[in-house]
Amino acid sequence: MERAVNSRGCAGESILKDKALLRKMLEGIMIARKFEEKVVELFSKGFIHGTTHLGIGEEATGIGTTMALSRGDYMLCTHRGHAPAIGKGCDINGMMAEMLGRESGVCRGRGGSMHIADFSRGILGANGIVGANAPLACGAAMTISLKGIPDRISAVFFGDGASNQGAVHEAMNFAASRGLPVMFCLVNNAYGMSTSIKKAVKETDLTKRAAAYGMKSFECDGNDVLAVYGTAREARRHVLENGPCLLVEHTYRTSGHSKSDGNLYRTKEEIAGWEAANPIARFSSFLLERRLFTRDEIDAIDRSAAAVIEAAAEYALAAPCPRAEEAMDGVFA
Ligand SMILES: Cc1ncc(C[n+]2csc(CCOP(=O)(O)OP(=O)(O)O)c2C)c(N)n1
Ligand SMILES: [Mg+2]
């Protein structure tokens, strides 16, 4: 089966002329990073309960992929879903309020980090059950297909760990056999909790999974936001014209798996190496080297991203909690 391996070049030089788009990309990955750094701070101060999964280091996958989607496209993300929700246009104030369990959160504070959803933006939800979102993406794609909705796809994120779940394989087979418009976005961060991909599977080239279902696969450097955007755009076009495909994005989470992670399964050197190659530093250097942005412009974007997150935190902290007698409203399970 055909396999397309893409690097930054696939984004095309024309994108480099679109300064507004480049700015949106840089701002997106910066907002995603600062959102999660603020979550860590608010967590440590006791304003956020339960747990949360940070994708620090993986911002380019969530932002680059969702920026290649249209507003009407459906998107389902994982337990590590903050960046994809931000990239798909979820209201940042509403997301932060949701993290704090406030009534004005995007799910009225009932869902929290692992259930962030906003149907008005096609965000059908994060999902704490590993791999369970892939069949749901097929359901959304069936709606598109049965109603004959033009120019719309269903995109689902899942991890390298989830790629071994039966539900994901059933979903890929179902989508392929029916030609459903699903983009299967596999974020390969090389670990499922503390298990290295090298221990989890014999064949670590996960693009090969696509061939079993007669699908085309795409692959990109997931720490390069331009490459992710360009490849996801091509993959989306492929889905509209030919049916489902698998898009594998290679990245690394420098943050721990969840709030409780002693990082005992990887070395400090490994983490430091990936920190140095993080998507924000890489994209900023690229923009500077190519003289597309000045240092002042990049600093200004950084400050505006910080202001967005400060405002969101202030909004969330001031927002009311649900009333006790209404706490179970909208909670179905
Ligand atoms: C069905 C199911 N099994 C196990 C878990 C526990 N669990 C939560 S995240 C995770 C690892 C998932 O790894 P991967 O799919 O690679 O995503 P990543 O955490 O690396 O983003 C596991 C096993 C779960 N939430 N759901
Ligand atoms: Mg993983």
Side-chain angles (χ1 to χ4, degrees):
M1 205 61 202
E2 213 182 335
R3 172 180 172 198
V5 181
N6 287 308
S7 61
R8 172 175 287 153
C10 70
E13 287 294 310
S14 64
I15 289 177
L16 301 183
K17 295 197 182 97
D18 189 342
K19 203 162 173 178
L21 183 72
L22 298 175
R23 185 195 150 92
K24 199 172 165 208
M25 271 181 205
L26 182 60
E27 194 171 39
I29 54 180
M30 285 177 166
I31 287 178
R33 170 71 58 95
K34 291 178 195 302
F35 181 89
E36 296 201 323
E37 287 171 348
K38 183 57 76 178
V39 164
V40 173
E41 182 194 319
L42 295 175
F43 214 103
S44 66
K45 291 181 178 164
F47 290 109
I48 299 177
H49 303 282
T51 190
T52 186
H53 302 82
L54 307 178
I56 292 184
E58 298 186 7
E59 296 88 355
T61 59
I63 299 294
T65 309
T66 50
M67 276 184 64
L69 301 178
S70 74
R71 179 172 172 144
D73 285 346
Y74 298 123
M75 187 279 287
L76 298 93
C77 48
T78 70
H79 52 286
R80 210 176 297 290
H82 302 144
I86 290 169
K88 194 73 172 62
C90 200
D91 178 63
I92 309 283
N93 288 358
M95 269 181 77
M96 194 64 90
E98 187 60 35
M99 298 295 297
L100 271 68
R102 306 299 167 113
E103 183 66 42
S104 55
V106 286
C107 301
R108 296 183 58 200
R110 290 4 179 228
S113 171
M114 268 181 280
H115 299 95
I116 284 176
D118 178 355
F119 292 175
S120 71
R121 302 261 172 189
I123 303 170
L124 303 190
N127 200 317
I129 305 172
V130 170
N133 55 2
L136 299 179
C138 291
M142 279 187 78
T143 301
I144 296 169
S145 176
L146 291 170
K147 289 191 171 172
I149 302 170
D151 195 30
R152 185 177 292 189
I153 71 160
S154 171
V156 57
F157 287 91
F158 58 105
D160 47 292
S163 75
N164 298 319
Q165 285 286 66
V168 172
H169 288 270
E170 287 177 32
M172 288 199 282
N173 183 54
F174 187 77
S177 64
R178 281 162 177 74
L180 297 175
V182 185
M183 188 161 107
F184 291 95
C185 308
L186 199 174
V187 177
N188 177 17
N189 61 11
Y191 288 93
M193 296 183 84
S194 57
T195 306
S196 159
I197 187 172
K198 292 183 195 135
K199 282 191 193 157
V201 291
K202 169 86 172 154
E203 174 57 75
T204 54
D205 180 354
L206 301 179
T207 61
K208 290 185 178 169
R209 304 285 178 90
Y213 303 108
M215 291 194 299
K216 179 168 173 167
S217 68
F218 294 82
E219 185 175 24
C220 65
D221 176 345
N223 275 31
D224 179 341
V225 68
L226 271 178
V228 174
Y229 174 77
T231 314
R233 232 171 39 150
E234 251 184 72
R236 181 179 185 275
R237 199 177 311 124
H238 174 88
V239 170
L240 286 171
E241 290 168 4
N242 306 292
C245 73
L246 175 66
L247 164 58
V248 180
E249 303 176 354
H250 302 284
T251 186
Y252 189 90
R253 60 166 167 72
T254 50
S255 45
H257 166 72
S258 67
K259 286 301 294 172
S260 50
D261 184 340
N263 274 324
L264 300 175
Y265 53 92
R266 50 188 189 168
T267 63
K268 286 195 178 72
E269 291 72 29
E270 180 180 303
I271 300 171
W274 282 93
E275 257 161 8
N278 85 77
I280 297 169
R282 273 181 64 181
F283 193 41
S284 302
S285 307
F286 172 78
L287 294 171
L288 285 170
E289 276 162 27
R290 295 288 291 260
R291 296 182 189 278
L292 296 163
F293 282 72
T294 63
R295 171 50 64 194
D296 283 352
E297 284 173 318
I298 290 177
D299 290 346
I301 295 169
D302 187 72
R303 282 195 300 278
S304 88
V308 167
I309 296 304
E310 281 310 318
E314 272 174 38
Y315 170 84
L317 286 165
C321 293
R323 287 149 48 99
E325 58 273 27
E326 294 173 358
M328 299 307 284
D329 284 7
V331 179
F332 300 104

